[in-house]
């Protein structure tokens, strides 16, 4: 029986740090890997040793089997934990570890290979008696062949990548006219994300719930399940809210799901942690989706309700030990909910966001767990998934867990990049979500923008925050004054004009006019004139003020020209407008700008082409996802200054569409 002494974690971010946290408690030394953008990432500092992988992209670094195993050799690591993503479900990598004499913390290469192809996986599961959906393998985009396959399945149909996951390479098709293009698009995205463009067709269950079961096996052949998780709240086929147990799975259904999941595990002679995913119809019938032969992103909710450490169990089983007692006989207590905090622009269609994460702080609350791969001052790269952290709450009931999690997100300080925090809070507080009336299409129907707006700072709150930022700026200037710091800025012996400052809050401009007289402030924000404003304490980072008879504390951080204000009213980013800006060349009318840094993968039209509103003009790839840039209005494409495979920056002009009648 091998004894694991040094563990190389072949991953990055929060999962790498989380694995190292458990390894440390087991007296197992750890080795981190890091790409050039990850040089100062938390997981690097959490490890005992670290090895640089030169380069930036996953293909240059974390996906290089040769570099990973060379790092294991140089550091003397006797085991490799792949985390999730990257090489975690790569059977060739697992075989290479064995050949190098390194323990792979995961299932056998045979199990990974069998489940690596969703087509083969369905055949194995059907033979094991696990319910599966009707489907067909795709060998090309021939319309006749696709039509024949679709006829045998029936619409709606899901086009699905045979390899990989995370929602990439998936398209829902409602009619025959859309099928060929959906297959082509899904094939391209799957090839880019997973290195294999194979896709297949599968019957799409309408209004389904996504239910998955955590399984665990050991080398003796024992396989157990640790209950289900519900992951129905998704955007672009990717989970953003996960919970355990499901609000609709009763004891009898849970037993059926567990039996099917164990049958799947036994069919694979499964060892280690795995997840059997099902799609569940409104009538409670469930069908096999896939087996994830690795630890899942959402594993913390299972850990919290069962009181287990799944990484510890993985390491013990990898060392040849039987299932630990707490896993073999796991019970369940309470409810756990997890959300994924992403750097993304919800209003723009969940566009990934990169840039400097100037501040990231989470509250400390009983029952709250945070697994984060970022700290303040780090840069969110365009090369990797934009998830900043997983925030997880555990309570005696589902409502208690949701309440705690919503409060924790409200008290989280996150500055520098746009995030989906308001959306997550809106979901957790939504009555339909609280009632469990959800499915995988719920978020799209409910409206992400509308949900986010319920939690975002109101227009009145933004005006208050603009006033507070003006006060903080005044206090900061006095703190830095070389003489007479006790006098307010702009002080005169005679009554004179008020001070003025303007802020941009998104697309809105706020003009603040104010006078500070000791602890009293006379102010106007555009047309709004607050009642008495008393400042009890003020600095460049904190303001304690009573406005319109209500006293609140405000936390502020200034980064460059931007003020970030957090208070019980919400969070606001205010960019101070330069009173004397330098003139800049305006973008050409009709310019289509890159919404994010990325690569041009396809140009759909040529210069001189006539387009209609919403027509695709070109396609960008960023963070392994395709993003279509569409015409904003009817017109003529007069310029395309980029080429296929070109790297572009956010805000760069991709094309110019001259609106019809503009030239006349």
């Amino acid at each position: 029986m091998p004894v694991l002494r040094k563990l190389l974690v072949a991953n990055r971010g929060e999962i790498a740090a989380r694995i190292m946290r458990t390894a440390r408690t087991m007296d197992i030394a750890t080795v981190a890997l890091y790409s050039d953008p990850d040089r100062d990432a938390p997981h690097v500092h959490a490890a005992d040793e670290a090895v640089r992988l030169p380069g930036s992209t996953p293909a240059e670094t974390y996906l290089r089997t040769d570099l990973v195993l060379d790092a294991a050799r140089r550091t003397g690591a006797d085991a490799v934990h792949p985390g999730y993503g990257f090489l975690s479900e790569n059977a060739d990598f697992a075989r290479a570890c064995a050949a190098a004499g390194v323990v792979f913390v995961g299932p056998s290469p045979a199990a990974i290979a069998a489940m690596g192809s969703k087509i083969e996986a369905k055949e194995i599961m059907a033979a094991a008696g696990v319910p599966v959906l009707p489907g067909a393998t795709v060998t090309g985009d021939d319309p006749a062949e696709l039509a024949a396959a679709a006829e045998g399945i029936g619409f709606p149909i899901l086009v699905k990548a045979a390899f990989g996951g995370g929602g990439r390479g998936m398209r829902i098709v409602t009619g025959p006219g859309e099928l060929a293009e959906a297959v082509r698009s899904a094939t391209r995205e799957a090839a880019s994300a997973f290195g294999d463009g194979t896709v297949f067709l599968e019957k799409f269950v309408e209004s389904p719930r996504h239910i998955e079961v955590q399984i665990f096996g050991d080398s003796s052949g024992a396989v157990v399940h640790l209950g289900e998780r519900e992951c129905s709240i998704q955007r672009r086929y990717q989970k953003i809210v996960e919970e355990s147990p499901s609000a609709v799975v009763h004891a009898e259904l849970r037993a059926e799901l567990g039996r099917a999941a164990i049958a799947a595990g036994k069919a694979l002679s499964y060892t280690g942690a795995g997840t059997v995913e099902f799609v569940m119809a409104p009538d409670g019938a469930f069908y096999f989706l896939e087996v994830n032969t690795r630890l899942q992103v959402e594993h913390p909710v299972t850990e919290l309700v069962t009181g287990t450490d799944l990484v510890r169990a993985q390491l013990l089983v990898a060392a040849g030990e039987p299932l630990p007692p707490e896993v073999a006989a796991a019970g369940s207590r309470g409810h756990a909910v997890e959300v994924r905090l992403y750097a993304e622009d919800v209003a723009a269609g969940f566009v990934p966001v990169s840039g400097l994460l100037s501040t990231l702080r989470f509250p400390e609350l009983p029952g709250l767990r945070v697994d984060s791969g970022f700290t303040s001052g780090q840069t969110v790269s365009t090369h990797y998934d934009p998830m900043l952290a997983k925030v997880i709450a555990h309570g005696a009931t589902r409502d208690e867990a949701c309440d705690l999690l919503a409060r924790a997100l409200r008290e989280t300080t996150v500055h520098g990049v746009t995030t989906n925090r308001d959306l997550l809070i809106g979901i957790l507080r939504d009555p339909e979500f609280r009632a469990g009336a959800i499915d995988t299409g719920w978020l799209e129907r409910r409206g992400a923008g509308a949900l986010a707006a319920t939690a975002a700072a109101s227009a009145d709150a933004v005006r208050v925050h603009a006033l507070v930022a003006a006060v903080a700026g005044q206090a900061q200037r006095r703190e830095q004054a070389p003489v007479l710091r006790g006098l307010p800025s702009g002080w005169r012996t005679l009554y004179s004009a008020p001070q003025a400052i303007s802020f941009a809050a998104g697309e809105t401009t706020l003009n603040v006019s104010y006078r500070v007289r000791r602890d009293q402030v006379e102010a106007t924000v555009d047309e709004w004139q607050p009642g008495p404003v008393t400042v009890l304490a003020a600095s460049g980072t904190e303001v304690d003020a009573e406005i319109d008879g209500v006293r609140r504390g405000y936390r502020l951080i200034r980064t460059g020209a931007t003020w970030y204000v957090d208070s019980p009213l919400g969070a606001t980013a205010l960019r101070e407008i330069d009173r004397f800006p330098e003139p800049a060349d305006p973008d050409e009318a009709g310019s289509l700008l890159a919404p994010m840094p990325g690569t041009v993968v396809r140009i759909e039209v040529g210069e001189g082409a006539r387009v209609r509103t919403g027509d695709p003009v070109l396609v960008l790839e960023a963070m392994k996802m395709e993003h279509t840039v569409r015409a904003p209005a009817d017109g003529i494409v007069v310029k395309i200054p980029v080429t296929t495979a070109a790297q572009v920056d956010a805000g760069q002009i991709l094309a110019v569409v001259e609106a019809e009648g503009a030239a006349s």
Side-chain angles (χ1 to χ4, degrees):
M1 182 181 298
V3 177
L4 306 186
R5 292 300 183 194
K6 182 177 286 190
L7 178 70
L8 184 145
V9 182
N11 217 293
R12 62 179 297 279
E14 60 85 17
I15 187 57
R18 184 266 171 276
I19 292 165
M20 292 170 190
R21 191 162 61 243
T22 287
R24 185 182 180 195
T25 67
M26 299 174 69
D27 194 25
I28 299 174
T30 55
V31 180
L33 301 177
Y34 65 94
S35 65
D36 290 339
D38 284 340
R39 181 181 62 184
D40 294 317
H43 78 274
V44 178
H45 298 290
D48 297 301
E49 300 171 337
V51 177
R52 173 179 174 247
L53 304 178
S56 299
T57 67
E60 295 173 308
T61 56
Y62 299 106
L63 289 173
R64 288 278 300 273
T65 294
D66 56 337
L67 296 183
V68 172
L69 291 180
D70 182 62
R73 179 189 60 79
R74 285 191 283 152
T75 58
D78 51 20
V80 171
H81 196 307
Y84 51 70
F86 296 136
L87 296 169
S88 63
E89 294 179 285
N90 186 311
D92 290 338
F93 176 65
R95 294 188 189 98
C97 287
V102 177
V103 174
F104 176 79
V105 182
S108 68
I112 296 174
M115 294 298 100
S117 167
K118 292 181 175 62
I119 298 170
E120 182 181 352
K122 286 184 66 174
E123 295 172 352
I124 294 173
M125 293 302 112
V130 180
V132 299
L133 289 164
T137 303
V138 171
T139 57
D141 59 0
D142 177 68
E145 180 185 342
L146 292 175
E151 186 176 354
I153 300 171
F155 289 97
I157 286 173
L158 184 64
V159 181
K160 193 172 182 182
F163 299 88
R168 298 179 177 94
M170 291 176 62
R171 303 287 187 275
I172 297 174
V173 181
T174 57
E178 311 165 26
L179 190 54
E181 174 53 31
V183 167
R184 287 192 289 268
S185 178
T187 298
R188 284 192 303 268
E189 192 169 270
S192 172
F194 314 120
D196 191 310
T198 304
V199 299
F200 65 101
L201 309 182
E202 187 173 74
K203 178 66 177 176
F204 179 72
V205 177
E206 298 190 74
S207 302
R209 301 179 84 107
H210 183 115
I211 306 293
E212 60 187 36
V213 179
Q214 177 74 58
I215 62 170
F216 222 105
D218 64 19
S219 56
S220 73
V223 179
V224 299
H225 80 87
L226 288 83
E228 84 284 352
R229 298 185 286 255
E230 172 140 5
C231 311
S232 295
I233 304 298
Q234 303 177 4
R235 55 97 171 102
R236 300 183 67 164
Y237 311 117
Q238 291 186 308
K239 308 163 187 173
I240 57 172
V241 180
E242 301 106 345
E243 57 183 306
S244 182
S246 166
V248 298
V249 173
H250 51 76
E252 183 180 349
L253 180 55
R254 181 169 296 116
E256 292 178 17
L257 285 162
R259 282 193 292 270
I262 289 174
K266 288 187 175 294
L268 298 170
S269 300
Y270 201 87
T271 58
T275 299
V276 186
E277 300 197 351
F278 299 98
V279 58
M280 193 168 78
D283 63 359
F286 60 88
Y287 306 92
F288 173 79
L289 276 179
E290 61 185 344
V291 175
N292 292 125
T293 53
R294 53 172 168 81
L295 199 65
Q296 288 279 84
V297 178
E298 56 272 21
H299 76 274
V301 295
T302 295
E303 291 185 323
L304 289 176
V305 296
T306 61
T308 59
D309 183 332
L310 296 180
V311 172
R312 178 178 180 273
Q314 280 186 300
L315 295 173
L316 292 173
V317 167
E321 296 189 23
L323 291 176
E326 67 271 18
V327 172
S332 181
R333 61 178 184 85
H335 201 100
V337 184
E338 170 183 297
V339 295
R340 304 188 191 187
L341 182 65
Y342 279 106
E344 65 182 13
D345 189 338
V346 173
F350 301 102
V351 172
V353 174
S354 59
L356 178 65
L357 180 64
S358 55
T359 311
L360 182 65
R361 287 198 300 264
F362 297 95
E364 295 184 4
L365 295 168
L368 185 71
R369 167 175 165 177
V370 177
D371 288 7
S372 178
F374 284 87
T375 58
S376 299
Q378 274 190 268
T379 297
V380 181
S381 168
T382 61
H383 299 295
Y384 311 112
D385 186 271
M387 186 171 72
L388 303 178
K390 301 182 307 196
V391 189
I392 315 103
H394 180 256
T397 66
R398 186 171 185 264
D399 279 338
E400 285 186 19
C402 290
D403 288 341
L404 173 61
L405 191 49
R407 181 66 181 188
L409 288 169
R410 172 55 67 211
E411 293 187 10
T412 295
T413 303
V414 54
H415 300 152
V417 295
T418 304
T419 74
N420 66 336
R421 175 177 61 173
D422 286 344
L423 170 62
L424 298 174
I425 296 172
I427 291 170
L428 292 168
R429 292 176 174 173
D430 184 78
E432 285 186 10
F433 173 79
R434 287 298 188 97
I438 57 173
D439 56 62
T440 57
W442 178 83
L443 183 58
E444 184 175 354
R445 292 195 310 275
R446 181 66 178 80
L451 283 166
T454 65
S458 67
D460 288 343
V462 173
R463 285 192 287 267
V464 170
H465 285 172
L467 170 57
V468 169
V471 171
Q474 183 272 148
Q476 187 179 66
R477 288 189 293 274
R478 297 319 303 158
E479 290 170 352
Q480 297 169 352
V483 294
L484 299 176
R485 293 182 183 178
L487 295 179
S489 60
W491 182 85
R492 300 289 187 274
T493 56
L494 298 176
Y495 193 84
S496 58
Q499 297 183 77
I501 187 171
S502 296
F503 298 102
E507 301 298 320
T508 303
T509 299
L510 300 165
N511 300 301
V512 183
S513 174
Y514 67 101
R515 288 190 184 92
V516 179
R517 294 178 175 276
R518 296 186 181 275
D519 62 348
Q520 299 297 306
V521 178
E522 299 174 7
T524 300
V525 182
D526 290 334
E527 302 300 319
W528 174 64
Q529 289 184 310
V533 177
T534 302
V535 178
L536 291 92
S539 69
T541 58
E542 290 185 286
V543 172
D544 181 357
E546 183 180 289
I547 301 174
D548 279 339
V550 180
R551 181 178 176 180
R552 301 183 185 92
Y554 302 85
R555 304 187 311 277
L556 302 99
I557 293 178
R558 184 174 185 175
T559 303
T562 301
W563 285 94
Y564 297 100
V565 188
D566 292 274
S567 80
L569 297 173
T572 305
L574 299 162
R575 180 176 57 81
E576 189 172 328
I577 298 174
D578 192 341
R579 296 176 66 185
F580 305 103
E582 294 185 9
D585 294 331
D587 291 327
E588 189 173 347
S591 296
L592 277 66
L593 307 181
M596 73 208 82
T599 303
V600 178
V601 295
R602 193 167 67 263
I603 297 174
E604 299 281 14
V605 297
E607 292 183 357
R610 183 178 297 275
V611 292
R612 295 290 184 185
T613 302
D615 284 354
V617 176
L618 52 78
V619 178
L620 283 181
E621 180 187 277
M623 298 178 179
K624 298 299 182 184
M625 297 285 285
E626 287 191 357
H627 306 271
T628 301
V629 178
R630 301 180 182 276
D634 296 354
I636 306 295
V637 180
V638 297
K639 184 187 295 184
I640 301 180
V642 296
T643 59
T644 301
Q647 297 286 326
V648 297
D649 295 323
Q652 184 173 333
I653 295 176
L654 303 175
V656 179
V657 177
E658 185 177 273
E660 288 186 348
S664 58

